[in-house]
Amino acid sequence: MSLLDPYIIILGIVFILFIVALSTFKNEDSQKGGSLNPHAFKDCSIPNLSYRVYLKSDEERCLAIYHDIESQNVIPENQERHFLDWLNNTTGQRYVVLQNDTIIATCGMEMVEDYTMMIYGLIHPEHQRKGLGGLMLALRLAE
């Protein structure tokens, strides 16, 4: 067994996750959004999910999710300005995830020089630990 074997295994797992991510979405038009297939990840237990590109009118709900998470001491205090700046001024992609037309999460990504940064992956506390984070990662990888 060479020293590279663990890295080859990890690369294989990442490749499989990427293939699963590409097959996760029913609608591949990221500008319009689409339905998320929670069955692509066996651990996702949230029904009736969809996603779409963030709109300025989503700011209030996204900020409420931010505050709900911040109140659990998960996000450092005084980061709200940075979050709002990202929501409204970034050149990257921003998405909202909805359950029955109610925003329950937001996430995004941004190109910085030669790499892509995953930025924010905020899930309302009521929907955490249900596999939605994996779907949000897949959404960003599929882009």
Side-chain angles (χ1 to χ4, degrees):
M1 179 179 218
S2 77
L3 292 174
L4 292 178
D5 288 345
Y7 296 109
I8 292 170
I9 292 170
I10 291 170
L11 283 174
I13 291 170
V14 169
F15 178 74
I16 289 169
L17 287 174
F18 181 72
I19 297 301
V20 169
L22 291 177
S23 66
T24 301
F25 308 101
K26 294 179 183 174
N27 180 345
E28 295 181 11
D29 185 349
S30 64
Q31 295 304 310
K32 293 181 181 176
S35 299
L36 292 173
N37 180 1
H39 302 294
F41 290 86
K42 65 179 179 177
D43 295 332
C44 187
S45 62
I46 304 172
N48 305 317
L49 292 175
S50 61
Y51 75 98
R52 64 173 166 73
V53 172
Y54 169 84
L55 304 171
K56 176 68 174 156
S57 59
D58 299 329
E59 180 182 306
E60 184 177 331
R61 179 65 183 143
C62 291
L63 192 56
I65 292 170
Y66 175 90
H67 286 148
D68 287 340
I69 295 170
E70 184 183 45
S71 70
Q72 296 177 334
N73 297 318
V74 178
I75 298 174
E77 291 184 28
N78 303 319
Q79 295 296 311
E80 181 178 323
R81 184 179 57 78
H82 182 269
F83 178 68
L84 286 172
D85 185 52
W86 170 74
L87 273 179
N88 297 307
N89 300 317
T90 187
T91 57
Q93 289 290 344
R94 296 159 316 238
Y95 301 99
V96 292
V97 178
L98 304 100
Q99 181 185 36
N100 299 322
D101 298 323
T102 299
I103 297 172
I104 63 170
T106 185
C107 63
M109 63 184 181
E110 188 167 343
M111 290 294 295
V112 178
E113 297 177 15
D114 294 336
Y115 60 93
T116 301
M117 280 191 336
M118 302 288 179
I119 302 176
Y120 288 103
L122 302 181
I123 302 170
H124 190 277
E126 290 178 12
H127 300 285
Q128 293 176 0
R129 305 276 183 217
K130 297 180 181 178
L132 183 54
L135 284 173
M136 290 168 50
L137 176 61
L139 167 64
R140 293 181 280 182
L141 287 174
E143 294 301 317

